[in-house]
C-alpha cells in the first residue's frame, strides 16, 4: 500500500511531526545551555566572585535570570547604561537626581542596576522588590546597606503603605507580564507613588517586535501581544510560567496607560538603546484608590 503524499496527511498529524521536531530542537538547546551553565558556574566558583567594579558578582544562573546571558562584563555594562538612562530621565522630568528621593526598583533582580548607585546618590532611600526569593536573599547578604530588599508577589497588593515613593522604576518587568497582570500592577504602582512622583517603565516596543513577522499583525491591530516563548525545556531562566514575553505598540501605551498616569514622554529605544521607555506621573483625575 502506497503512503499518501505529504500534502494530503491531515493537518493534525503534520502538527504532531512538527511538535516532535520543535521538542527535539528545544532539547538540544537545553543541553547546550546546561553545559554552558556548568562551565560558567565552575569558573565563578574558583574566581574571586568580584566584578571589575570591585563589587560582588552574582552567580551565573542568577545573572542569566536577570540579563539573559552569563557574561559578567555585559552584565555590568548593561546595568551601568540602564542606570545612566534612568538618571538622565530623572534629571529631565523630575528634579536634579542629587535631591533626596524615596525610590522603588520594581523587579530589582540581583541588583544589576542598583549596584551602580553605590558611588552616587547616597541620599536616595531605595527599596528593591522582586518575586525571585533567591535574588532577594543574595541582595540582603551581599548588599545589606544598598537598599531595603522585599520579596514580592505575583499579583498585588504589596505590603507597603500608599504614596511611599517619589520615584518608581520598572526595567524589563512589563516586558514579561500578561495584560491582566499589567493592569493590576499599574494600579498598584500608582497607589505607591507619591503626589507629583515619577514612574519610569521599559517595554518591548516596535524596534523589537517589528523583526518578527509572526508578531507584527497582532501588534499592529491590537497593540499588545503576550507570547509564551519560555515554557518547558526552553525555560532556561527557570522563571514562573506566567513570566513570558510581552510586547507593546506606542499607540496602545499612550491610550491604555493614560487613564491612570499622565504620560510625559514615550522614548523609542530610550533604555540602553534597546527597549522603549515610558515616563509618567500620577493622573490625579483617576478615581481614588
Amino acid at each position: 500500500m502506497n503512503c499518501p503524499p505529504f500534502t494530503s496527511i491531515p493537518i493534525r498529524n503534520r502538527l504532531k511531526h512538527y511538535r516532535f521536531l520543535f521538542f527535539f530542537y528545544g532539547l538540544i538547546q537545553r543541553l547546550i545551555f546546561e553545559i554552558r551553565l556548568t562551565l560558567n558556574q565552575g569558573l565563578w566558583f574558583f574566581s574571586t566572585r568580584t566584578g571589575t567594579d570591585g563589587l560582588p558578582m552574582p552567580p551565573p544562573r542568577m545573572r542569566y535570570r536577570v540579563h539573559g546571558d552569563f557574561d559578567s562584563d555585559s552584565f555590568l555594562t548593561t546595568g551601568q547604561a540602564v542606570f545612566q538612562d534612568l538618571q538622565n530621565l530623572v534629571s529631565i522630568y523630575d528634579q536634579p537626581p542629587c535631591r533626596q528621593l524615596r525610590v522603588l526598583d520594581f523587579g530589582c533582580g540581583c541588583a544589576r542596576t542598583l549596584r551602580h548607585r553605590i558611588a552616587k546618590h547616597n541620599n536616595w532611600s531605595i527599596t528593591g522588590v522582586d518575586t525571585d526569593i533567591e535574588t532577594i536573599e543574595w541582595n540582603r547578604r551581599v548588599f545589606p546597606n544598598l537598599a531595603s530588599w522585599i520579596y514580592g508577589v505575583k499579583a498585588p497588593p504589596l505590603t507597603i503603605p500608599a504614596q511611599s515613593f517619589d520615584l518608581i522604576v520598572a526595567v524589563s518587568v512589563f516586558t514579561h507580564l500578561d495584560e491582566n497582570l499589567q493592569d493590576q500592577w499599574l494600579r498598584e504602582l500608582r497607589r505607591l507613588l507619591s503626589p507629583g512622583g515619577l514612574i519610569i517603565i521599559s517595554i518591548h516596543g516596535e524596534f523589537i517586535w517589528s523583526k518578527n513577522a509572526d508578531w507584527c499583525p497582532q501588534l499592529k491591530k491590537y497593540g499588545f501581544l503576550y507570547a509564551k516563548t519560555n515554557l518547558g525545556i526552553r525555560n532556561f531562566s527557570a522563571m514562573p510560567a506566567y513570566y513570558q514575553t510581552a510586547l507593546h505598540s506606542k499607540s496602545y501605551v499612550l491610550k491604555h496607560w493614560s487613564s491612570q498616569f499622565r504620560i510625559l514622554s514615550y522614548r523609542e529605544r530610550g533604555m540602553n538603546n534597546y527597549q522603549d521607555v515610558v515616563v509618567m506621573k500620577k493622573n490625579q483625575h483617576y478615581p481614588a484608590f
Side-chain angles (χ1 to χ4, degrees):
M1 179 178 174
N2 294 327
C3 293
F6 179 76
T7 53
S8 67
I9 297 177
I11 292 178
R12 181 179 299 177
N13 291 340
R14 286 191 305 206
L15 288 177
K16 287 181 179 179
H17 293 304
Y18 289 137
R19 281 199 296 266
F20 173 77
L21 291 176
F22 288 144
F23 175 81
F24 185 71
Y25 178 64
L27 181 60
I28 293 175
Q29 287 184 310
R30 184 72 192 207
L31 290 173
I32 295 173
F33 171 81
E34 293 296 338
I35 292 171
R36 291 182 60 213
L37 174 61
T38 301
L39 291 174
N40 278 275
Q41 284 179 325
L43 292 172
W44 176 81
F45 183 81
F46 290 105
S47 71
T48 62
R49 307 186 194 182
T50 302
T52 54
D53 58 356
L55 299 176
M57 180 63 66
R61 186 183 290 277
M62 200 176 293
R63 291 202 304 271
Y64 189 90
R65 285 203 292 270
V66 171
H67 186 56
D69 201 317
F70 298 119
D71 185 68
S72 58
D73 290 337
S74 64
F75 176 86
L76 293 177
T77 55
T78 299
Q80 175 64 55
V82 169
F83 184 84
Q84 186 63 55
D85 288 336
L86 291 172
Q87 181 177 254
N88 292 341
L89 291 170
V90 172
S91 298
I92 295 171
Y93 295 102
D94 192 61
Q95 295 183 27
C98 59
R99 79 179 182 96
Q100 186 171 1
L101 289 175
R102 298 170 299 166
V103 182
L104 171 64
D105 186 348
F106 180 68
C108 61
C110 50
R112 181 182 67 166
T113 301
L114 287 183
R115 67 189 290 130
H116 299 283
R117 169 255 177 182
I118 287 180
K120 304 176 181 179
H121 312 314
N122 290 326
N123 56 339
W124 283 14
S125 174
I126 298 181
T127 300
V129 172
D130 204 282
T131 57
D132 186 347
I133 191 169
E134 184 182 5
T135 62
I136 291 297
E137 291 299 327
W138 187 83
N139 291 339
R140 287 173 176 170
R141 186 171 66 254
V142 302
F143 293 129
N145 300 318
L146 176 60
S148 297
W149 306 105
I150 298 177
Y151 175 57
V153 289
K154 173 186 176 181
L158 294 171
T159 56
I160 300 175
Q163 302 183 2
S164 290
F165 302 103
D166 308 305
L167 172 64
I168 297 176
V169 297
V171 178
S172 295
V173 177
F174 284 76
T175 52
H176 297 287
L177 305 178
D178 65 31
E179 192 172 27
N180 180 50
L181 271 179
Q182 292 200 14
D183 288 343
Q184 291 182 56
W185 280 115
L186 284 171
R187 289 191 292 270
E188 175 67 357
L189 296 181
R190 183 186 179 277
R191 181 185 74 84
L192 297 175
L193 194 63
S194 65
L198 196 70
I199 181 168
I200 301 172
I201 298 176
S202 74
I203 60 172
H204 286 146
E206 186 171 356
F207 172 72
I208 296 172
W209 55 258
S210 62
K211 303 177 186 299
N212 190 315
D214 293 332
W215 289 344
C216 284
Q218 182 166 338
L219 265 301
K220 291 180 177 179
K221 184 175 182 179
Y222 299 106
F224 181 84
L225 176 64
Y226 176 66
K228 295 183 178 181
T229 58
N230 304 305
L231 293 172
I233 58 174
R234 294 173 180 266
N235 186 4
F236 303 138
S237 64
M239 295 297 284
Y242 70 84
Y243 206 73
Q244 297 295 319
T245 301
L247 307 106
H248 301 74
S249 71
K250 180 178 179 179
S251 59
Y252 173 92
V253 171
L254 295 180
K255 179 180 179 181
H256 197 70
W257 291 10
S258 60
S259 63
Q260 300 182 58
F261 295 97
R262 178 164 59 93
I263 299 177
L264 304 180
S265 177
Y266 183 103
R267 297 194 163 209
E268 296 180 6
R269 300 175 66 179
M271 190 64 66
N272 193 32
N273 198 34
Y274 185 65
Q275 294 183 355
D276 290 1
V277 64
V278 191
V279 185
M280 304 179 290
K281 288 197 172 186
K282 183 183 294 188
N283 185 345
Q284 301 299 332
H285 300 292
Y286 186 78
F289 43 77

